Amino acid sequence: MGRVRSTLCMTGGTGDASYAQNSLLQRKALSKITKPLTEAAIKELYATIKPQTRLVIADLGCSSGPNTFLAVSELVDAVGEFRKKATRNSPEIQTNLNDLPRNDFNTLFRSVDKFNQKAKAVDEDNIYFVSGVPGSFYNRLFPSESIHFIHSSYARHWLSQVPKGRTNDAGLERNKGNIYIANSSPQSVWKAYLRQFQTDFANFLKIRSRENKPGGRMVLAFVGKDESPLASRQECCAVYNLLAMALSGLVAEGLLADSKVDQFNLPKYNPSPQEIMPLVRKVGSFEIAKLENHERQWESCPQDADGRTSNALQSGQNVAQTIRAVAEPALEKHFGDAIMEELFTRYAKLVAKHLTAEKRKFVLNVMQLTKKRHR
């Protein structure tokens, strides 16, 4: 895997394995964690920039499930609430929905009419326009200083490409048997992933600074880690290390060549706040208004008094379905579709066993940035 533009996307459609049906974890984060920061940011923006005729919003990495219009609805509702309190006329709202070209935009656009009807029921004065913008958010997407508010949830931890090893571009040097950072990964792998994140995030900030209006806002929510150096032991990595174990089981039984696993590495990185803040300061175009860490459970099956999942088998299957909706297109392109059912059946069992061991959580970073005004 090199650049992810042609390989990375969520599973489309509305079937049992689709992202639309397996994104409850992300939906809860939008409702409970991201929403307060988003509402505060949009109201601050509306009060300071005071858009009279048009408010332009961009949702980066929108995917194609119901979460897309949940995020948009919350933004629009926040604007409407503030507008009514301030007794101002309603501006026209332009919403730009962005994802990679392989995203299922057809399913997404079939939800537009339902969204418009709901929005009109809330406030008949609202006027909305929705556009799809296919492309990588590591490239320019919009005209200069055209966007008031940028939102991105559960997308910014994806990298522009798999970090390059010294020996080839298809995988990371000596990261054998792994598909991401693991306890057995050498320091060169850790450094390669961190280096790629630093390059990508700095580039992302520079590009958005050109597109965001002075005084504009940006809210980003993405899977991360705390400041502990033992990042590979954390849940942000464990969920994919278990997937590597499932692949290794197929190798052991002769169902898959070990070279295929060695050549596959996920293009993602889960940063800590200590890795984020220096990059924001270095680029210099944005100020950090807020940066929060939230612990999240892998999924919401009932837990016992000790915090262990009480129905581990069902939980394992739920987590496996969530990861399948996110990772299957890339896995299928590399390994083929013949092993997918067996792979995720084994993966669900490994996750179930993992969940019975102790309380399992991961970290979600949520940050609010403000574009600096021209001097």
Side-chain angles (χ1 to χ4, degrees):
M1 292 179 65
R3 290 195 171 274
V4 303
R5 181 183 176 89
S6 62
T7 60
L8 183 63
C9 65
M10 308 298 103
T11 301
T14 57
D16 291 342
S18 68
Y19 184 79
Q21 297 295 329
N22 294 282
S23 52
L24 178 61
L25 183 72
Q26 294 89 332
R27 186 178 184 87
K28 287 185 175 181
L30 279 169
S31 298
K32 296 182 179 181
I33 296 178
T34 310
K35 183 178 179 180
L37 265 71
T38 298
E39 289 180 342
I42 201 77
K43 290 176 183 178
E44 290 168 9
L45 180 147
Y46 201 90
T48 55
I49 294 183
K50 300 177 181 180
Q52 299 299 315
T53 60
R54 185 173 62 161
L55 180 69
V56 184
I57 296 169
D59 188 1
L60 308 183
C62 65
S63 194
S64 62
N67 293 353
T68 300
F69 287 104
L70 172 64
V72 173
S73 296
E74 289 177 350
L75 289 170
V76 169
D77 290 348
V79 171
E81 181 182 343
F82 184 85
R83 177 188 63 80
K84 289 179 179 178
K85 289 181 178 179
T87 63
R88 295 179 183 172
N89 294 328
S90 178
E92 297 177 346
I93 299 176
Q94 170 68 50
T95 301
N96 299 287
L97 304 178
N98 156 259
D99 214 313
L100 291 171
R102 290 189 67 205
N103 182 58
D104 186 3
F105 283 100
N106 287 333
T107 296
L108 179 63
F109 291 148
R110 282 196 286 269
S111 302
V112 171
D113 285 344
K114 184 178 180 180
F115 162 73
N116 284 334
Q117 292 171 8
K118 182 178 179 182
K120 284 289 185 181
V122 173
D123 188 344
E124 62 180 12
D125 293 331
N126 287 331
I127 301 175
Y128 305 97
F129 300 92
V130 178
S131 300
V133 184
S136 169
F137 52 50
Y138 291 118
N139 297 325
R140 281 291 299 271
L141 297 168
F142 310 106
S144 298
E145 297 187 356
S146 62
I147 307 297
H148 292 93
F149 187 89
I150 297 171
H151 171 269
S152 182
S153 182
Y154 274 89
R156 249 304 310 149
H157 46 262
W158 293 106
L159 302 173
S160 67
Q161 64 179 36
V162 174
K164 293 182 179 180
R166 293 191 179 94
T167 56
N168 59 72
D169 291 347
L172 292 172
E173 183 187 21
R174 302 193 308 279
N175 201 28
K176 293 185 179 296
N178 302 312
I179 62 173
Y180 187 47
I181 301 170
N183 291 337
S184 59
S185 300
Q187 283 296 312
S188 62
V189 171
W190 288 67
K191 291 178 180 178
Y193 268 101
L194 176 58
R195 195 162 51 241
Q196 187 66 52
F197 164 75
Q198 291 170 332
T199 298
D200 282 347
F201 192 56
N203 182 46
F204 177 88
L205 292 173
K206 290 174 184 177
I207 292 172
R208 301 289 85 78
S209 72
R210 299 189 189 111
E211 299 169 343
N212 209 190
K213 286 181 175 292
R217 301 302 199 274
M218 183 159 60
V219 172
L220 310 175
F222 47 95
V223 181
K225 62 177 182 286
D226 61 27
E227 69 278 5
S228 170
L230 299 176
S232 66
R233 298 180 184 275
Q234 298 181 28
E235 296 306 288
C236 64
C237 301
V239 67
Y240 290 106
N241 293 339
L242 292 171
L243 186 56
M245 289 175 61
L247 286 166
S248 296
L250 296 177
V251 170
E253 296 182 20
L255 301 175
L256 186 66
D258 57 358
S259 60
K260 293 289 287 185
V261 179
D262 293 341
Q263 292 167 1
F264 182 86
N265 287 275
L266 285 165
K268 68 187 297 292
Y269 186 77
N270 304 317
S272 69
Q274 289 72 21
E275 293 167 339
I276 296 170
M277 291 185 290
L279 288 171
V280 177
R281 289 194 290 264
K282 183 178 180 180
V283 172
S285 300
F286 291 93
E287 294 179 349
I288 300 177
K290 290 183 180 179
L291 176 54
E292 302 175 353
N293 285 100
H294 296 267
E295 283 192 340
R296 304 293 294 163
Q297 296 176 6
W298 271 24
E299 66 95 48
S300 58
C301 277
Q303 295 183 326
D304 61 24
D306 296 323
R308 296 181 177 86
T309 304
S310 56
N311 188 342
L313 181 59
Q314 182 62 56
S315 293
Q317 293 170 343
N318 292 347
V319 172
Q321 282 291 90
T322 298
I323 299 302
R324 183 172 186 171
V326 171
E328 185 173 30
L331 289 164
E332 190 174 276
K333 185 175 180 64
H334 184 79
F335 296 105
D337 61 359
I339 67 166
M340 289 299 113
E341 288 299 329
E342 180 63 22
L343 171 63
F344 282 99
T345 297
R346 295 180 181 220
Y347 179 55
K349 293 177 181 178
L350 289 171
V351 172
K353 183 177 180 180
H354 183 73
L355 290 173
T356 60
E358 59 183 274
K359 192 173 183 179
R360 299 295 183 178
K361 292 186 177 183
F362 66 93
V363 173
L364 187 70
N365 290 321
V366 183
M367 60 190 307
Q368 178 188 333
L369 302 168
T370 302
K371 167 74 179 297
K372 294 181 179 178
R373 294 182 178 272
H374 300 310
R375 293 182 178 179

